Amino acid sequence: QVKMVESGGGVVQPGRSLRLSCAASGFTFSTYAMDWVRQAPGKGLEWVAFISNDGNNKNYADSVKGRFTISRDKSKNTLYLQMNSLRAEDTAVYYCAREGLATYLRVFDVWGQGTMVAVSP
Amino acid sequence: DIQMTQSPSTLSASVGDRLTISCRASQSINNWLAWYQQKPGKAPKLLIYKTSSLDSGVPSRFSGSGSGTEFTLAISSLQPDDFATYYCQQYNTYWTFGQGTKVEIK
C-alpha cells in the first residue's frame, strides 16, 4: 500500500543541523511532486518546502529560505530535508506529503506519520 | 502571500448536529481549496479538494462549497468519528493553511 515514513528527528541545539528523511513505498516515487509541512506544538499546519517530481524545481517558505534544502533520491525512493542554522521556532512535527496527480494536482493526498524536531539549548 | 482565515476556532457540537466551518482567503484562489481533517497525534487526512470534490472514501455527509474568497465545509450529521480539527488550504499560489477549527463534543 502507499506509505511514507519519516525519520531523522530529535533534539538539537540552536544553530546546529539536522537531516530528515521520508521513505516512500507503494507508488512510483519519481512521478510525484513532494512537500514538507510542519506543525509546531499545539499550533496549525505550515507548508515548508516543495520539490518537483524530477527534482529540478524547488520552493521554500520565507521562514526557512536559505536555511533548509529539500532534495530527493529516485534510486532510494526517499525525500530529504536538510535543516541548517536551526532556531527554537523550527521546533515542530515535520510531515512529508505527496502531491496528487490529475485532478489532485498540488493537493496533499498522502501524508507520512511525522517526525518531531525539538530545537533546545 | 495569500492568508487563510477560518472561523470559528472552536466549535462545540453534538452527535447528529449539522455544522459548518468557514474559510476566507485574502484574495481569489480560483477554487483551489482543500479541506483536511486531523486527529490528535495523527497526520492530516485529505477530505475535499477543488472546493467541493470529495476524496475517495470520504463519507457523503461531508461537503464543500464556495467560490472566489469565501468557502465552507459542512458536515450534515456529525458522527463520533468526526470530532477532530479541520484545516482549509489554498493551493492557488504555493500553499497556505487556515489556523484550524477544532470540533469538540458539547
Side-chain angles (χ1 to χ4, degrees):
Chain A
Q1 78 279 24
V2 174
K3 191 175 181 182
M4 301 189 303
V5 179
E6 300 94 334
S7 60
V11 180
V12 61
Q13 292 178 326
R16 303 300 289 265
S17 299
L18 207 59
R19 188 178 82 158
L20 306 182
S21 300
C22 169
S25 59
F27 63 99
T28 306
F29 182 65
S30 60
T31 300
Y32 293 82
M34 300 290 296
D35 295 75
W36 287 97
V37 177
R38 68 183 180 183
Q39 186 170 36
K43 302 297 184 183
L45 301 166
E46 179 189 17
W47 169 74
V48 172
F50 155 89
I51 187 167
S52 59
N53 66 302
D54 59 7
N56 289 335
N57 293 298
K58 304 175 184 180
N59 293 114
Y60 300 92
D62 287 344
S63 57
V64 307
K65 201 172 292 183
R67 300 187 299 123
F68 289 12
T69 302
I70 190 171
S71 63
R72 62 193 299 160
D73 186 331
K74 184 173 67 172
S75 68
K76 296 181 178 179
N77 288 346
T78 300
L79 175 73
Y80 300 101
L81 186 68
Q82 177 67 43
M83 304 186 295
N84 298 333
S85 303
L86 282 161
R87 306 167 179 168
E89 55 264 36
D90 296 319
T91 295
V93 174
Y94 285 74
Y95 297 100
C96 59
R98 186 185 81 171
E99 291 188 29
L101 302 175
T103 55
Y104 287 83
L105 206 59
R106 295 174 60 79
V107 177
F108 299 163
D109 66 347
V110 179
W111 297 65
Q113 88 288 349
T115 187
M116 180 68 201
V117 173
V119 183
S120 177
Chain B
D1 292 6
I2 299 176
Q3 310 301 321
M4 305 298 292
T5 304
Q6 281 182 241
S7 60
S9 297
T10 306
L11 202 160
S12 298
S14 302
V15 172
D17 285 352
R18 172 181 171 82
L19 62 84
T20 60
I21 298 170
S22 297
C23 178
R24 173 179 294 177
S26 59
Q27 64 190 74
S28 176
I29 56 173
N30 299 304
N31 288 5
W32 299 118
L33 183 100
W35 291 94
Y36 299 84
Q37 178 193 65
Q38 187 180 35
K39 296 182 179 179
K42 301 294 186 181
K45 172 192 169 186
L46 176 66
L47 293 177
I48 288 171
Y49 61 98
K50 194 69 193 302
T51 296
S52 59
S53 298
L54 259 61
D55 190 23
S56 175
V58 174
S60 58
R61 63 180 179 272
F62 289 90
S63 64
S65 63
S67 65
T69 62
E70 301 282 345
F71 301 89
T72 300
L73 172 70
I75 308 175
S76 60
S77 178
L78 199 65
Q79 298 302 301
D81 191 50
D82 301 337
F83 291 97
T85 299
Y86 294 84
Y87 293 92
C88 64
Q89 177 211 40
Q90 69 80 20
Y91 53 103
N92 182 72
T93 307
Y94 299 111
W95 298 267
T96 315
F97 294 90
Q99 80 276 18
T101 295
K102 183 178 181 180
V103 177
E104 60 181 25
I105 300 173
K106 182 185 286 184

